[in-house]
Amino acid sequence: MSQIASFYLLKDGQRQELSNGDCSGAVYMAIWDWCESELDLDVRFPAPQTEDTLDCALLEGELVSALLAALREQELSELAAEIAPDWNLPTESVQSGLETLRSHLELIQGDTALLYEMI
């Protein structure tokens, strides 16, 4: 089973691919799990999932603001050290994923959204 993680900036019907930070889909699944369990943010609900998609998340509007605020309040290295063991992942990979996600969220303005897909 492949775990190719992809991020896209969505604006005006256009889809621009962004870096995945060289992280696997497992890293982002761990991050989404943290969002859902620790922040009570359901990032997966509104995402358009196809039959080829193993995992996906759509981040827009207030969800972006809430997640970005939470990530800005955290020391990402400490957060990565908290998340990584539960998923048997290298802390450095989780930290890279968190940094990538935060930088992508900072791009979201107005009617722009961030789509994550793992295939």
Side-chain angles (χ1 to χ4, degrees), residues 46-108:
Q49 190 162 350
T50 66
E51 118 181 3
D52 295 332
T53 306
L54 300 173
D55 194 28
C56 58
L58 182 64
L59 302 136
E60 57 189 347
E62 290 180 27
L63 184 58
V64 168
S65 297
L67 182 51
L68 189 54
L71 290 176
R72 285 179 174 159
E73 290 174 3
Q74 301 282 332
E75 174 58 48
L76 296 185
S77 61
E78 291 175 11
L79 179 57
E82 176 186 323
I83 294 171
D86 291 341
W87 288 76
N88 199 27
L89 295 167
T91 302
E92 299 79 20
S93 295
V94 176
Q95 182 173 345
S96 178
L98 289 165
E99 290 167 353
T100 299
L101 177 59
R102 184 171 64 186
S103 70
H104 291 343
L105 290 171
E106 290 171 346
L107 298 173
I108 307 303

Side-chain angles (χ1 to χ4, degrees), residues 25 28-29 32 44 49 53-57 116-119:
Y28 292 107
M29 286 176 61
W32 306 141
R44 289 183 173 112
Q49 190 162 350
T53 306
L54 300 173
D55 194 28
C56 58
Y116 162 80
E117 293 178 327
M118 181 177 64
I119 55 170

